[in-house]
Amino acid sequence: MDRLTAMQAYVRVVEAGTFTKAADSLDLPKATVTRLIQTLETHLRTKLLNRTTRRVTVTPDGAAYYERAMRLLGDLEELEGSMNQARVTPRGRIRIDVPGVVGREMIIPHLPDFYAKYPDIQIELGVSDRTVDLISDNIDCVIRGGELTDQSLVARRIGEFRFITCATPEYLKRYGTPAHPLELGQAPHRMVGYFSARSGKVMSDTFKRGDEQVEVVGNHVLAVNDANAYLNAGLAHLGIVQVTCFMAGPLLKSGELVRVLEDWDAEPVPVYVVYPPNRHLSSKLRVFVDWVVELIGREALGGVKMRCTS
């Protein structure tokens, strides 16, 4: 038995929750993964997993073995990295998941700069606003905006996104320009709604002016759960929108959007990079995260101040 391969297969089964998902992520037949686990249990003379038709769970011995196996595999990867100068030239595959707008508007356009520095890193980039399971989907890290609710994950705050309130010239011609945020909750004004994919609840919008703060659930005829759809709805004159500065900047410059309620600030949204617990932070992942931190700092906090006010 190849103990290292069996150990890697066992860790993936525990993290994925099923033999099928583990086999897919390892690019191995399910029968091979099953045989590896059975052989490992025979070698250790203990039962590591409880199996059902839908999911597997770890036994007490299996949980202890998983913790030790994770440390050993992490140490092995770090050792190999130091031997082949992976710290100087990181290589290998990483799986990242980011919100749709961040992937399309920020990360993908700048990836040529990343690959100029790290040509041997292969990125599998999930681009969507859906909530993913980092462990079962075998994702190395995600970039997420908003306060985090899952305390079991490891998170690092890397910046924040600033928002401004905008409408199209056609909308303002049709409905007028609001003078106060409370007008957005009643006719004739309307906002494009944004609802949580998890709860289905339409989110409120917060406005601040000095010590005054107003929270509004906008009057809306349309609510969406995707940032690009949200912006497109605003551009279709379906309502006022609160848009990130890096998205709004070019549209303000072209005149497709006009800023409204300029003396009211929208609540900024914190941005985090999130890792699964017990996941080793490899050199290839570390350089990607450092690059994203610098990119978001430059795009979301630096240059946008000028673009948001242009």
Side-chain angles (χ1 to χ4, degrees):
M1 175 186 63
D2 183 339
R3 282 195 232 174
L4 178 60
T5 301
M7 185 184 297
Q8 291 170 328
Y10 174 71
V11 166
R12 281 304 306 134
V13 170
V14 173
E15 293 180 338
T18 69
F19 280 83
T20 300
K21 284 187 176 181
D24 289 343
S25 67
L26 293 168
D27 197 23
L28 290 173
K30 180 182 175 183
T32 300
V33 174
T34 301
R35 185 170 61 255
L36 285 168
I37 302 305
Q38 290 172 341
T39 306
L40 182 62
E41 289 179 320
T42 300
H43 173 75
L44 296 172
R45 298 180 182 178
T46 188
K47 187 176 183 180
L48 299 174
L49 299 171
N50 292 313
R51 301 158 174 84
T52 67
T53 55
R54 293 187 176 182
R55 193 169 179 85
V56 295
T57 57
V58 295
T59 65
D61 284 341
Y65 185 82
Y66 170 78
E67 293 296 330
R68 294 294 298 274
M70 281 293 298
R71 289 197 292 270
L72 287 171
L73 292 173
D75 289 344
L76 178 61
E77 183 174 353
E78 194 68 27
L79 175 61
E80 290 179 343
S82 64
M83 293 297 100
N84 63 19
Q85 296 185 324
R87 289 184 178 275
V88 178
T89 309
R91 64 183 65 244
R93 179 179 68 94
I94 54 176
R95 295 194 68 187
I96 315 294
D97 195 88
V98 300
V101 64
V102 174
R104 287 184 287 267
E105 302 292 332
M106 183 177 291
I107 290 181
I108 290 176
H110 290 88
L111 276 178
D113 297 333
F114 177 82
Y115 284 122
K117 294 181 179 179
Y118 307 106
D120 297 322
I121 295 179
Q122 179 188 10
I123 300 173
E124 294 182 0
L125 187 67
V127 181
S128 73
D129 291 344
R130 70 181 181 91
T131 301
V132 296
D133 187 325
L134 280 76
I135 295 175
S136 66
D137 292 337
N138 195 27
I139 295 173
D140 293 299
C141 76
V142 300
I143 309 297
R144 287 292 178 262
E147 295 299 338
L148 303 176
T149 57
D150 191 342
Q151 300 302 314
S152 69
L153 301 174
V154 179
R156 171 188 171 190
R157 181 165 175 159
I158 59 175
E160 64 181 21
F161 289 145
R162 294 174 57 243
F163 289 75
I164 60 172
T165 309
C166 305
T168 62
E170 177 64 26
Y171 172 92
L172 298 176
K173 180 180 178 181
R174 191 178 305 173
Y175 300 106
T177 302
H180 194 280
L182 290 178
E183 295 179 34
L184 304 180
Q186 57 193 6
H189 282 294
R190 59 182 62 167
M191 295 190 71
V192 178
Y194 194 101
F195 67 89
S196 167
R198 177 175 296 176
S199 68
K201 182 180 179 181
V202 176
M203 299 178 182
S204 60
D205 294 289
T206 301
F207 299 83
K208 287 184 177 181
R209 183 176 61 181
D211 296 332
E212 188 178 2
Q213 179 171 313
V214 177
E215 189 171 349
V216 178
V217 177
N219 176 42
H220 64 272
V221 295
L222 174 68
V224 299
N225 66 346
D226 173 84
N228 277 289
Y230 178 81
L231 176 60
N232 288 334
L235 292 172
H237 327 301
L238 292 171
I240 292 174
V241 289
Q242 281 194 343
V243 184
T244 56
C245 287
F246 68 86
M247 292 178 70
L251 299 170
L252 293 172
K253 187 174 181 179
S254 68
E256 294 173 83
L257 286 178
V258 176
R259 188 171 184 179
V260 298
L261 299 171
E262 293 192 43
D263 53 342
W264 291 86
D265 294 322
E267 188 76 8
V269 172
V271 184
Y272 297 89
V273 57
V274 185
Y275 313 97
N278 302 320
R279 181 62 57 87
H280 174 67
L281 189 60
S282 62
S283 58
K284 58 182 180 287
L285 181 58
R286 187 180 296 113
V287 297
F288 178 82
V289 170
D290 290 344
W291 177 77
V292 168
V293 170
E294 181 183 356
L295 177 64
I296 289 180
R298 184 173 69 245
E299 290 294 301
L301 299 178
V304 296
K305 291 185 178 180
M306 177 183 68
R307 285 187 280 167
C308 274
T309 56
S310 61

